[in-house]
Amino acid sequence: MTCPLLYRFRVIDKIPEKPSPAAVRGTLVHAVLERLFDRPAAERTAAAALELLGPQWERLLAAEPELATMFAEGEAGEAERDGWLEQARRMLERYFTMEDPRRLEPAERELFVETVLESGLKLRGFIDRVDVAPSGDVRIVDYKTGAAPRADFETRALFQMKFYALVLWRLHGRVPRLLQLMYLGNGEILRYEPDEADLRATERKVEALWQAIRRAMDTGEWRPRTSRLCDWCDHKARCPQFGGTPPPLPAHAGGSGAGGAGEGAGAGGAVPVVAVTADSDGPEHDDL
């Protein structure tokens, strides 16, 4: 949706990208909030969340040592890292001004969801939090470590949430009551109550996106779409919009009848998949 060529570089070519401080900070804050709910309700305080910050950063660093390359070496790098962690601390403190986790008992956290539509298209995603009321009403909650979007960008921000709602609806037959985006960057909350018409429209959009991906697979045409996000793109040097040359497509990813991700359901191939990625805030964006 943001840039077909970027989708190709990430999903088809699988070209590595350098760690993004904004995205990694989002992962870190998410990890702290997930672990916070492991504690008894009375212990879910701001101080407890801040205590978790250091250990969670060390855990991420141990799992992915390349994250250390986000910061320069020496004292300058240490100061940069400290400022980065301070921003994460402020986001966690801001969370406690938005809701009181001592009064919540989430039904699910970091929930992996997956369903297959009638067309054979498989949808997958990870939901930050699912709350279930005594009445059975479901609230889908997603944490964002950026600032809330302007009103004219809210529809785009809600697409990810409608995607999750669509998957849960198809899995359980009940439309979630509320979609809630919590913007820890500025303390705003975006809430939306979906209905079946919303989710049917989302399903049509996802199907259309998949067809566009398949056409690109068949033709080999992954057109770049320029925007202000290009300034942060790791692939700018290989983008034709900036004088670059994309590498040849992998053998499985181009031409009519190609296999791999281009195989459709019912044709004896793999079930095609559309997935929503983990949270990626700041200059980055969420992808299909």
Side-chain angles (χ1 to χ4, degrees), residues 12-241:
I12 307 300
D13 298 285
K14 300 186 185 301
I15 299 173
E17 298 178 340
K18 64 179 181 292
S20 157
V24 175
R25 185 171 52 236
T27 300
L28 175 59
V29 171
H30 277 72
V32 170
L33 292 177
E34 183 185 4
R35 295 280 74 82
L36 182 69
F37 283 99
D38 287 339
R39 300 195 171 196
E43 297 178 15
R44 297 172 195 160
T45 62
L50 296 179
E51 287 175 4
L52 290 167
L53 187 61
Q56 287 302 311
W57 168 234
E58 294 300 326
R59 181 185 64 81
L60 290 177
L61 201 56
E64 301 179 63
E66 64 272 18
L67 297 182
T69 63
M70 294 190 301
F71 312 111
E73 296 182 359
E75 292 184 3
E78 290 180 7
E80 187 180 358
R81 182 200 60 209
D82 291 346
W84 180 82
L85 284 170
E86 179 58 30
Q87 288 179 311
R89 290 188 190 94
R90 289 200 297 268
M91 290 174 185
L92 290 169
E93 290 171 340
R94 190 172 291 119
Y95 165 75
F96 286 85
T97 70
M98 301 166 73
E99 67 178 9
D100 185 350
R102 294 172 299 180
R103 302 177 62 184
L104 297 169
E105 288 298 340
E108 301 285 353
R109 287 171 284 144
E110 291 296 320
L111 174 66
F112 174 73
V113 291
E114 177 179 279
T115 193
V116 178
L117 303 180
E118 290 182 3
S119 66
L121 182 63
K122 181 180 289 185
L123 307 184
R124 292 174 175 168
F126 281 91
I127 303 176
D128 287 348
R129 198 177 89 206
V130 177
D131 300 332
V132 180
S135 63
D137 286 341
V138 171
R139 176 172 65 180
I140 298 175
V141 179
D142 194 76
Y143 308 118
K144 297 292 185 186
T145 47
R150 300 194 309 269
D152 50 339
F153 284 94
E154 284 184 359
T155 299
R156 182 170 179 174
L158 282 168
F159 176 73
Q160 175 190 3
M161 302 298 281
K162 290 181 181 180
F163 182 100
Y164 295 149
L166 169 62
V167 176
L168 288 182
W169 178 43
R170 290 306 188 195
L171 278 173
H172 305 302
R174 183 168 183 170
V175 174
R177 177 68 178 274
L178 186 66
L179 311 179
Q180 180 169 299
L181 281 160
M182 303 184 69
Y183 289 94
L184 308 182
N186 62 356
E188 293 187 24
I189 298 176
L190 176 59
R191 297 184 177 93
Y192 184 83
E193 295 185 12
D195 56 25
E196 284 196 16
D198 280 325
L199 302 190
R200 292 186 190 280
T202 300
E203 184 169 340
R204 291 192 296 270
K205 183 172 183 177
V206 170
E207 294 278 13
L209 285 167
W210 175 247
Q211 292 305 317
I213 292 169
R214 291 202 57 174
R215 284 193 297 273
M217 295 286 292
D218 289 340
T219 64
E221 294 183 11
W222 300 88
R223 298 182 180 180
R225 184 178 299 141
T226 57
S227 73
R228 65 180 182 83
L229 296 172
C230 295
D231 291 337
W232 292 281
C233 183
D234 279 2
H235 308 286
K236 193 173 182 179
R238 59 178 63 91
C239 177
Q241 291 295 104

